Amino acid sequence: MAIIRPFNGLRPTEDLAAKVAARPYDVLSSEEAKAAASGNPYSYYHVSKSEIDLPEGTDTHSKPVYDKAAENLHRMVQEGTLFLEPQAAYYIYKLVMNDRAQTGLVCVSAISDYNNGIIKKHEFTRPDKELDRINHIKTTKAQTGNVFLAYNDVPEVNALVDHWQEHNKPVYDFTAEDGIQHTIWVINTPAAIQDITTLFAEKVPCTYIADGHHRAASASLVQAAFEKEGKITSVDNPVNYFLTTIFPASQLAILDYNRVVKDLNGLSKEALLSRLDYDFTVEEIGHLPQQPSMLHEFSMYLDGRWYRLVAKEGTYTTDPIGILDVTILSNNILDKLLGIKDQRTDKRIDFVGGIRGLNELVKRVDSGEMKVAFALFPVTIQQLFDIADSGNVMPPKSTWFEPKLRDGLITHII
């Protein structure tokens, strides 16, 4: 069963929360972060993307970057921008995007649950990205990025969270520049804390990583290193836990994660369309973008035109991985026709989160940067659970969750 704990969160004063809050470090470039933090010394990008405060061209994975992150975090504490919660607490984090709300519980989850498979994964991680987060955690002595977990709804947990929201005032409530509303409550009474801890221990057999595989893996590796070095003297040591926000599955939405490819692997447009006809029903649909409306349907943009591709029977299997649209696309188009064997390393392919819309695919192709684009129907939360339960992993860049948690609102000090 799931082991979660309250913790003393490091968080901003109420008047500065909106200025501190920053998008996750891995969803924007250094240039975008620098622009977003311009004129704002309170921005958490000074911690999560600290290269913005160093000379242009600085290696983002170099020691000066991690040292600067630690320096900036210390400065924000010393100046009173951030303060440590006086007692261990849970936090409720509600996000509202386009009138759709999702509410999660901010806590620390046990590294042992991650290592033992109680916290289930659905993606591979890359050693270079793990090392980046390891160095950031060790240098700042903090977990600055939140791991987004999901679980099958427990009515008693939902009821407790709803009751707390109804009868208590939030500590933060603001709408960010992208229109997403962020509201946070602190749960700090011993009875409520005990009820939550017990409910998860008795009613939640497992949780699933929705977003943040590298943050979770890095926290585990840091804990292992500390243990090997004899730095952990108590099971309650903060390094035995990592920062998570856990959402009930019924409230979550997954957006599409689309692909753009630089060339047609030596094929002409006509040859590609002809070969696609073996595995797909192909229909030209014109100049206007059209989102796939169901599983196994794809939209392709090529040479100024959109096409609807519907996978034929026999092109996929019914196992948890084989039935995924990302698998169908990978096997029958990217690999078979375009020669892309490993999407994690092939430089001819790039990925576009659905939050950017289909017009971003048009832009990338019409600019000449890319030759062809593919839009997919989103993976369902149940498909994600099925794959994690089976012990399999999804192809890379299969899911895009929105809205995203903001960094800086709650940090876990280790």
Side-chain angles (χ1 to χ4, degrees):
M1 305 299 279
I3 300 172
I4 65 168
R5 294 288 184 267
F7 67 106
N8 301 77
L10 182 70
R11 60 185 184 88
T13 57
E14 183 177 359
D15 60 317
L16 293 177
K19 292 183 178 180
V20 170
R23 293 164 61 200
Y25 79 98
D26 55 353
V27 302
L28 75 171
S29 67
S30 301
E31 293 74 19
E32 290 171 326
K34 189 170 186 176
S38 178
N40 180 9
Y42 307 107
S43 172
Y44 208 69
Y45 291 127
H46 295 291
V47 176
S48 62
K49 303 282 286 185
S50 54
E51 67 270 17
I52 67 175
D53 295 325
L54 295 172
E56 189 172 340
T58 299
D59 181 357
T60 57
H61 297 152
S62 63
K63 186 175 185 296
V65 172
Y66 305 117
D67 288 341
K68 191 65 176 177
E71 176 189 325
N72 287 340
L73 184 62
H74 180 72
R75 171 184 60 79
M76 293 173 80
V77 173
Q78 291 296 107
E79 293 176 351
T81 302
L82 304 176
F83 71 95
L84 197 65
E85 197 78 53
Q87 64 185 87
Y90 287 121
Y91 304 84
I92 296 171
Y93 191 160
K94 180 180 179 181
L95 302 100
V96 180
M97 175 182 175
N98 299 329
D99 297 322
R100 184 183 66 81
Q102 63 184 55
T103 304
L105 180 75
V106 185
C107 59
V108 289
S109 295
I111 296 286
S112 60
D113 277 0
Y114 176 83
N115 294 339
N116 297 333
I118 301 298
I119 298 173
K120 300 193 176 188
K121 305 172 276 290
H122 69 267
E123 285 184 6
F124 285 124
T125 52
R126 286 169 39 186
D128 59 330
K129 295 188 71 175
E130 289 177 353
L131 182 60
D132 171 54
R133 288 301 91 189
I134 289 169
N135 289 335
H136 197 276
I137 293 170
K138 283 186 171 181
T139 308
T140 61
K141 298 180 175 59
Q143 295 159 355
T144 62
N146 216 311
V147 178
F148 182 160
L149 299 181
Y151 70 105
N152 283 306
D153 287 50
V154 175
E156 296 92 334
V157 175
N158 293 346
L160 192 156
V161 168
D162 291 344
H163 183 270
W164 193 271
Q165 292 178 78
E166 291 170 6
H167 294 87
N168 294 275
K169 182 183 176 182
V171 292
Y172 307 135
D173 188 8
F174 64 90
T175 299
E177 70 287 344
D178 56 3
I180 298 174
Q181 183 179 0
H182 301 262
T183 311
I184 291 180
W185 292 259
V186 179
I187 301 178
N188 53 15
T189 65
I193 288 172
Q194 184 58 53
D195 286 346
I196 291 171
T197 305
T198 301
L199 281 170
F200 271 82
E202 294 179 351
K203 303 274 188 180
V204 181
C206 65
T207 57
Y208 301 82
I209 298 179
D211 195 10
H213 282 80
H214 288 92
R215 279 160 279 183
S218 301
S220 174
L221 291 167
V222 169
Q223 190 265 357
F226 275 42
E227 191 169 55
K228 185 176 180 180
E229 295 165 8
K231 295 181 178 179
I232 302 175
T233 58
S234 166
V235 294
D236 294 325
N237 190 304
V239 80
N240 288 326
Y241 297 86
F242 65 107
L243 180 63
T244 59
T245 301
I246 312 179
F247 290 90
S250 64
Q251 298 184 18
L252 300 181
I254 304 178
L255 300 186
D256 45 307
Y257 216 149
N258 303 315
R259 274 79 169 135
V260 286
V261 181
K262 288 183 180 294
D263 59 69
L264 301 185
N265 195 34
L267 298 174
S268 66
K269 169 186 170 182
E270 292 73 23
L272 176 63
L273 290 170
S274 176
R275 295 195 184 190
L276 284 170
D277 197 50
Y278 285 104
D279 297 316
F280 299 86
T281 299
V282 181
E283 175 190 359
E284 185 176 332
I285 54 179
H287 294 289
L288 297 177
Q290 187 166 317
Q291 195 78 39
S293 61
M294 60 182 182
L295 289 170
H296 309 338
E297 178 183 303
F298 307 82
S299 294
M300 179 180 74
Y301 185 65
L302 174 65
D303 198 22
R305 309 288 292 183
W306 283 93
Y307 298 82
R308 179 185 295 110
L309 312 178
V310 179
K312 296 178 179 178
E313 289 189 16
T315 59
Y316 55 88
T317 59
T318 57
D319 63 90
I321 292 292
I323 202 168
L324 291 175
D325 284 352
V326 286
T327 303
I328 295 170
L329 179 73
S330 298
N331 292 345
N332 297 289
I333 300 179
L334 299 178
D335 183 351
K336 184 177 179 180
L337 302 182
L338 300 181
I340 296 172
K341 306 293 183 184
D342 187 346
Q343 295 179 56
R344 293 183 299 163
T345 59
D346 198 309
K347 302 300 184 184
R348 296 168 53 226
I349 189 170
D350 199 6
F351 307 89
V352 180
I355 191 67
R356 295 183 178 270
L358 296 189
N359 285 329
E360 179 68 14
L361 303 183
V362 173
K363 176 183 174 183
R364 299 284 296 273
V365 173
D366 285 354
S367 69
E369 176 197 1
M370 297 292 177
K371 183 65 177 176
V372 62
F374 299 94
L376 290 79
F377 191 78
V379 171
T380 67
I381 193 71
Q382 189 57 54
Q383 284 181 313
L384 186 154
F385 285 3
D386 289 345
I387 288 165
D389 286 340
S390 72
N392 288 302
V393 295
M394 289 183 176
K397 307 295 185 182
S398 296
T399 58
W400 183 281
F401 284 88
E402 286 287 348
K404 293 189 180 298
L405 304 164
R406 286 299 198 266
D407 284 352
L409 293 178
I410 306 173
T411 295
H412 180 221
I413 301 297
I414 65 165

